[in-house]
Amino acid sequence: MSAKIVARGLALAYDGLSESGAQERVPVLQDFDLEVRQGEFLAVLGPSGCGKSTFLNILAGLAQKSAGELTIDGRPLQGINPHQGVVFQGYALLPWRSVLDNIAIGLEIRGVGRRERLATAREYLALVGLEGQGARYPHELSGGMRQRVAIARALAYAPDVLLMDEPFAALDAQTREHLQDELLRIWDGQRKTIVFITHSLDEAIFLADRVAVMTPRPGRVHRLLDIDLPRPRAAEVRNTPAFAALRQQAWEALRGAPAPVPSAAPRRQEVGA
């Protein structure tokens, strides 16, 4: 399977203050290497503050790397990639727009006519199980419904890659598991490349083809785990010995991930340099 996304020696550091008040460069990512295969569901798992969301922000074009290489389809990333959809934990829906108009916003930015974009929005609204809810507004929806709208919006303009930053973290356990099932149903039908950030071992193992386990900050990939559970993946797989064994492997990888020794922080470079 060919590589869709390739990161080599990726690094990011920011200007900060030491305990003594002196200016210093604070490394967040360092020597970060990762390949994401075409059509793969890859989960990035790591402790809080390890830089996993920072990697996603670089990939989305929302943060600027300090060093290293990042390519998509063999081409260096230059700014925001219009062929990627992003789903955040906080929904990021526009409160003054209806559900249907929120889903259609990416198509509107592209210049798609209103009739066509609303027809597409209705299609994806039905795909996430919210058919008939298009006239409602975000404040009228539950948290789980809002996240469905955010997923529909990301999918509506047919991105090549879907980036998801802990999208279910704020939901209750029952809603979270239900949306995990729904996400896998959608992915099974479309097989888009997904990079999914999480701090939940169970979520990573249930969803992914592979799990990239990160070290503490400054973050790098410590280990890649192949998740050889059958697909399509039913909820009951969480209760199997195979799932428990993979969870133990992920836990041992997390527990054994050493923090890299910070080196001299690299000077800033332009994205794609």
Side-chain angles (χ1 to χ4, degrees), residues 78-89:
Q78 300 287 348
I80 294 176
N81 184 352
H83 303 294
Q84 294 179 155
V86 185
V87 180
F88 298 103
Q89 179 179 337

Side-chain angles (χ1 to χ4, degrees), residues 23 33 55 84 120 154 156 179 196 235 243 246 257:
Q23 286 281 344
D33 296 334
F55 166 62
Q84 294 179 155
T120 301
L179 287 187
F196 190 100
F243 189 96
L246 286 166

